[in-house]
Amino acid sequence: MKNHIEGAPSESNFKLKAESLNLRVEPGSNDVIVKNLYVSIDLYQLNRLKSYSSSQEAVSAAARITPGEAIDANGVAKVVVSANPEFKRDDLVVGLISWGEYELVKGGAMIRRLEPMGFPLSYHVGILGTSGFTAYVGFYEICKPKRARKFLFLVHMDTLWDSMRNSVVATLLAALVAILKEKLGFDDAFNYKEETDLKATLKRYFPDGIDVYFDNVGGEMLEAAVANMNLFGRVAACGVISECADDSKRAVPNMIDIVYKRIKIQGFLSTDHFDLHQDFISMTCDALRAGKIQPLEDISNGVDSIPSAFTGFFRGDNIGKKFVRIAGE
Amino acid sequence: MKNHIEGAPSESNFKLKAESLNLRVEPGSNDVIVKNLYVSIDLYQLNRLKSYSSSQEAVSAAARITPGEAIDANGVAKVVVSANPEFKRDDLVVGLISWGEYELVKGGAMIRRLEPMGFPLSYHVGILGTSGFTAYVGFYEICKPKRARKFLFLVHMDTLWDSMRNSVVATLLAALVAILKEKLGFDDAFNYKEETDLKATLKRYFPDGIDVYFDNVGGEMLEAAVANMNLFGRVAACGVISECADDSKRAVPNMIDIVYKRIKIQGFLSTDHFDLHQDFISMTCDALRAGKIQPLEDISNGVDSIPSAFTGFFRGDNIGKKFVRIAGE
C-alpha cells in the first residue's frame, strides 16, 4: 500500500513494488516460500487500509496495514521452497498469503495444504473459501432459516432476501439480475443501485414481508429491510460495504420497528465458527458435484491488476466472487 | 383521548370526561364492572395515541386509540358488579382496565383475580406487573448475563450498563443518581441528559467496555453504547423513549462496530414470554421478601392527574415506576 485510504479506494492508493526478491529459508525455521496463484479481493481489506482516525476502533490495530507494507490476503499458492516438514516443493496451499507474486510464509503459519478434490483452484478462494464459509455461517448459524426449500445461500428461500453484494452471492445483485433469475433460480432479483425508494421496492418484491435479511451492504438497504420485516425478523450482518467506502453513509434503522417487530440484528465473522467448517466443506462439495450451486467468478489477471480489481469491487463492477489470478499452475 | 399526539405529549391532548355512567351487566354476559384503584403510566401508550401517519406501522392498527375513546391501561381494580362466575363483588383484579374511575370489562376478559400475597397493591402494577416482567425477560432471557453477581435488574452486574429509563429500573436514571448508588447498590450512575458527549461518558464509566446494554432509550444512548461495547456485546431493546417523543431522533449505531464486535441487537416484548411468568413472580417475590429489591414508586393521585403524570413521564419527571392511584381500597 502506498498511502492510507480515505473514503472510496483509488488505484493511486497502491504501488506495485518491482524488486528482485532474495527470499531464503533457514533450515529449522519452518519457513515456506510460496508462489501465489490466486488471491482474493475482499470487503474487509478496505478497513485495514484506512488510517486509524477514519477507520473504526473495532478493527484492531494489529490488523491494520501501514503505508509501504505488502497487503496480506487469502489465496491459493504453490510451495517453491520449504524448511517446514509439513510442506514440500510443489504442494498446493491455501491461507493467508499476499497481494504479490511470491511470499515468505514465516514458520508456515496461516497456510494449510490444499487438496483440490477435483475442483478448480479458484473455488478454494471463493465458494469453498472464506467467502463461501461466511455465507454458510451467516445463513445457517445466524439467520437460521426455518424451512429450506432449496440448498444454500445462492437460492431464494422462504422470504429470504439475499443482498450479499460482495461475497459469493451478493456480487450478483450488483448487475446480474438476469443471471440471478434465470441461471441461479432466485425467485427474483433487482439492482438496488437503480432504485430510488428502497422501502417501496422491497414492499413490491416482498408483499408478505421479509423474514431473514443477510446484510452485507448496510446503509439504506438495512433501513429498508427493517421497515419491511415481519415479526421476529432476523438480520445477519457481516459487512457494510456502503459504509466502508463512504463514512458519511450510515444506517438509521427504525428502533421502534425493531422493538415492536422483535427484530434481531446480529453481527458476525466466520472466524468465530470454525467448528462448522467441516460441515460447510462437505455440504458445499456435495452441492457443487450435484450441480446445485454454480459459483460465479470474476477473475482479473496478473498482480498488476489488483489495484483496479480492488477499486472496481467497491464500485460493484464485479460479476461474481472477485479474485486475481497471479499465475497459472 | 381528545386528539392524536404528534411528538411529545401535552396535557391538552387529553380530556377528562365527567359523566354519570349507567353501567349494567346482563346476566349470562360474563361482564364485570370494576372500580379502578391503580393504573400504570407506560412508554408504549404514546405510540398508540399517535396518528397513523406519524406512528409506526409496527404498532398494529388494532392497538391504536382514536380521539374520543377511553384509553385502556394496565392496572389493579376491585369488582363492583359481576355477571361472571369467576369474579365476585370486592374481588381484587389485575389486568387491562382504563385511565378512568370505573370500567366495564366485557366478558371479564384481560383481567384475572389478584392475590396480593402481602404486598402493596401498587407492586402488582409495577415490580410484579408488566414493568417488572419486561425487565426480567429482557435481562434473563434476552441479555443472558453470564455471571450474576447480585440479583436482578436493579443491581449493576458484571459490566451491565442499565439505562432502562422508564420501567422499574430505568426511571431511576433520570434523576436519582444518589439513590442508585447509595440505596440500590449500583456501582455507579449518571444522568444521561446532563452529558454532552455520551461516548466519552460511557468510556469513563466503563473503561473495560460494556457487555450488556438494556435499551429503553434509543437515540444517542444506543449509539454510544454500541461504540463502547465489547466483543459479543448484547443489546436488549424494549422501548425507545427518545424516538417515541421526537420523531426526528433516531439511533445511528455504527454497523461496522456491530459486525466486527459481533454485537447482537434484539427487540423484544414481554408478551412473547409468558412461559417465564411464574418463574418471574416467584423469583421477584422471594427477592422482595428478602429485601434484595426495593421498588421505587412514583404515585400521582386521582384520575385528573393522569394527563400531567403521562406528560411528565416523557420529560423524565418521575422518580421510579410511575402510576396513578385512582382510588383507595
Side-chain angles (χ1 to χ4, degrees):
Chain A
M1 180 175 62
K2 193 166 137 200
N3 46 35
H4 279 305
I5 297 176
E6 307 297 330
S10 82
E11 294 183 35
S12 66
N13 295 127
F14 300 92
K15 186 180 174 184
L16 187 66
K17 245 180 172 167
E19 54 186 13
S20 57
L21 294 168
N22 188 13
L23 298 175
R24 57 164 68 201
V25 296
E26 298 293 333
S29 66
N30 280 335
D31 292 349
V32 182
I33 296 171
V34 300
K35 180 183 182 185
N36 298 338
L37 306 180
Y38 288 93
V39 293
S40 183
I41 302 295
D42 288 306
L43 172 58
Y44 77 92
Q45 295 281 31
L46 182 57
N47 287 318
R48 306 176 64 207
L49 303 177
K50 290 180 178 179
S51 63
Y52 185 81
S53 60
S54 75
S55 180
Q56 308 305 325
E57 278 187 52
V59 182
S60 78
R64 287 218 172 70
I65 309 283
T66 49
E69 273 186 351
I71 297 163
D72 52 318
N74 280 307
V76 168
K78 187 179 251 183
V79 173
V80 178
V81 182
S82 173
N84 188 314
E86 286 187 40
F87 304 97
K88 61 178 197 302
R89 189 184 165 94
D90 288 339
D91 275 354
L92 290 168
V93 296
V94 63
L96 203 65
I97 53 178
S98 74
W99 285 351
E101 292 185 322
Y102 290 88
E103 175 73 7
L104 172 70
V105 183
K106 278 277 177 195
M110 309 295 280
I111 58 171
R112 57 188 168 77
R113 272 227 306 279
L114 171 64
E115 168 47 61
M117 302 180 287
F119 297 115
L121 290 186
S122 57
Y123 282 26
H124 300 281
V125 185
I127 183 72
L128 290 165
T130 305
S131 302
F133 187 45
T134 300
Y136 178 91
V137 167
F139 198 72
Y140 287 101
E141 189 66 11
I142 309 296
C143 292
K144 293 196 172 92
K146 279 164 290 183
R147 288 181 307 140
R149 281 202 238 136
K150 292 184 185 177
F151 177 74
L152 216 55
F153 37 86
L154 284 173
V155 177
H156 183 88
M157 291 192 187
D158 206 312
T159 50
L160 167 74
W161 170 54
D162 199 318
S163 83
M164 294 191 297
R165 189 176 159 281
N166 278 298
S167 66
V168 177
V169 175
T171 319
L172 311 175
L173 274 180
L176 288 196
V177 171
I179 289 186
L180 275 164
K181 288 158 79 165
E182 286 149 34
K183 187 170 166 195
L184 297 178
F186 276 73
D187 283 0
D188 221 323
F190 66 94
N191 181 346
Y192 73 87
K193 289 188 172 180
E194 288 175 359
E195 303 291 334
T196 50
D197 182 347
L198 283 169
K199 280 184 195 171
T201 302
L202 292 184
K203 185 89 190 160
R204 204 165 63 239
Y205 283 103
F206 294 90
D208 300 324
I210 297 167
D211 292 322
V212 173
Y213 172 46
F214 197 135
D215 186 25
N216 216 333
V217 176
E220 291 173 1
M221 283 285 274
L222 175 59
E223 289 172 42
V226 165
N228 279 280
M229 274 207 145
N230 291 328
L231 296 186
F232 303 101
R234 301 177 297 293
V235 177
C238 66
V240 201
I241 196 167
S242 69
E243 300 182 23
C244 285
D246 181 348
D247 290 338
S248 72
K249 282 197 181 166
R250 287 292 190 84
V252 190
N254 188 324
M255 288 302 297
I256 297 174
D257 271 344
I258 288 172
V259 171
Y260 275 91
K261 300 199 285 193
R262 294 82 131 181
I263 290 170
K264 184 170 80 176
I265 298 178
Q266 188 165 2
F268 76 98
L269 297 178
S270 62
T271 44
D272 297 325
H273 301 273
F274 274 127
D275 55 312
L276 302 175
H277 193 259
Q278 201 46 56
D279 289 346
F280 155 70
I281 290 291
S282 56
M283 191 176 182
T284 310
C285 287
D286 289 351
L288 284 168
R289 289 190 184 111
K292 287 181 183 166
I293 313 181
Q294 304 173 63
L296 282 192
E297 304 188 322
D298 187 319
I299 308 180
S300 300
N301 278 294
V303 68
D304 50 357
S305 75
I306 290 176
S308 65
F310 188 69
T311 52
F313 176 84
F314 283 91
R315 287 191 305 265
D317 290 352
N318 52 313
I319 298 172
K321 167 64 192 167
K322 184 72 195 175
F323 43 91
V324 174
R325 177 165 35 218
I326 307 285
E329 267 189 86
Chain B
M1 180 174 63
K2 193 166 137 201
N3 46 34
H4 280 304
I5 297 175
E6 308 296 329
S10 82
E11 294 183 35
S12 66
N13 295 125
F14 300 92
K15 186 179 174 183
L16 188 65
K17 244 180 172 166
E19 55 186 10
S20 56
L21 295 169
N22 189 14
L23 298 176
R24 57 164 68 202
V25 296
E26 297 294 331
S29 66
N30 280 337
D31 292 349
V32 182
I33 296 170
V34 300
K35 181 183 181 185
N36 298 338
L37 305 180
Y38 289 93
V39 293
S40 184
I41 302 294
D42 288 306
L43 171 58
Y44 76 92
Q45 295 281 31
L46 182 56
N47 287 318
R48 307 177 63 208
L49 303 177
K50 289 181 178 178
S51 64
Y52 185 81
S53 60
S54 74
S55 178
Q56 307 304 325
E57 277 186 53
V59 182
S60 77
R64 287 219 171 69
I65 310 282
T66 49
E69 273 187 347
I71 297 162
D72 52 319
N74 279 307
V76 168
K78 186 179 252 182
V79 174
V80 179
V81 182
S82 173
N84 187 314
E86 285 186 41
F87 304 98
K88 61 178 198 301
R89 189 186 164 93
D90 287 341
D91 274 353
L92 290 168
V93 295
V94 64
L96 202 65
I97 52 177
S98 74
W99 284 351
E101 293 185 323
Y102 291 87
E103 175 73 7
L104 173 69
V105 183
K106 278 277 177 196
M110 309 294 282
I111 57 172
R112 58 187 168 78
R113 272 229 303 281
L114 172 64
E115 168 47 61
M117 300 179 289
F119 296 116
L121 290 186
S122 58
Y123 281 25
H124 300 281
V125 185
I127 183 74
L128 290 164
T130 305
S131 302
F133 187 46
T134 300
Y136 178 91
V137 167
F139 198 72
Y140 287 100
E141 189 67 12
I142 310 296
C143 293
K144 292 196 172 88
K146 279 163 291 185
R147 289 181 307 139
R149 281 202 236 136
K150 292 184 183 177
F151 176 75
L152 215 55
F153 37 85
L154 285 173
V155 176
H156 184 88
M157 291 193 189
D158 206 313
T159 51
L160 168 75
W161 170 53
D162 199 318
S163 82
M164 294 191 296
R165 189 176 158 279
N166 277 298
S167 68
V168 177
V169 175
T171 319
L172 310 174
L173 274 181
L176 288 196
V177 171
I179 289 185
L180 274 165
K181 288 157 79 165
E182 285 148 35
K183 187 170 164 194
L184 297 178
F186 277 72
D187 284 1
D188 220 323
F190 66 95
N191 181 346
Y192 73 87
K193 289 189 170 177
E194 287 174 0
E195 303 293 333
T196 49
D197 182 346
L198 283 169
K199 280 184 196 172
T201 302
L202 292 185
K203 185 90 190 158
R204 204 164 63 238
Y205 283 104
F206 294 91
D208 301 323
I210 297 166
D211 292 322
V212 174
Y213 171 45
F214 198 136
D215 185 25
N216 216 333
V217 176
E220 291 173 2
M221 284 284 274
L222 176 58
E223 287 172 43
V226 165
N228 280 280
M229 276 209 145
N230 291 328
L231 295 186
F232 303 100
R234 300 178 296 293
V235 177
C238 66
V240 201
I241 196 166
S242 69
E243 300 183 22
C244 286
D246 182 347
D247 291 337
S248 72
K249 282 196 181 166
R250 287 291 190 86
V252 190
N254 188 324
M255 287 302 297
I256 297 174
D257 272 344
I258 288 173
V259 171
Y260 275 90
K261 300 198 287 193
R262 292 83 131 182
I263 290 170
K264 183 170 80 177
I265 298 178
Q266 186 165 3
F268 76 98
L269 297 178
S270 63
T271 44
D272 297 325
H273 301 272
F274 273 127
D275 56 313
L276 302 174
H277 193 258
Q278 200 46 55
D279 289 346
F280 154 70
I281 290 291
S282 56
M283 190 176 183
T284 310
C285 287
D286 289 351
L288 284 167
R289 289 191 183 109
K292 287 180 183 166
I293 312 182
Q294 303 172 62
L296 281 192
E297 304 188 322
D298 188 319
I299 309 181
S300 301
N301 278 295
V303 69
D304 50 355
S305 74
I306 290 176
S308 65
F310 188 69
T311 51
F313 176 84
F314 284 91
R315 287 190 305 266
D317 290 353
N318 52 314
I319 298 172
K321 167 65 195 166
K322 184 71 195 175
F323 43 89
V324 174
R325 177 165 33 218
I326 307 284
E329 267 188 88

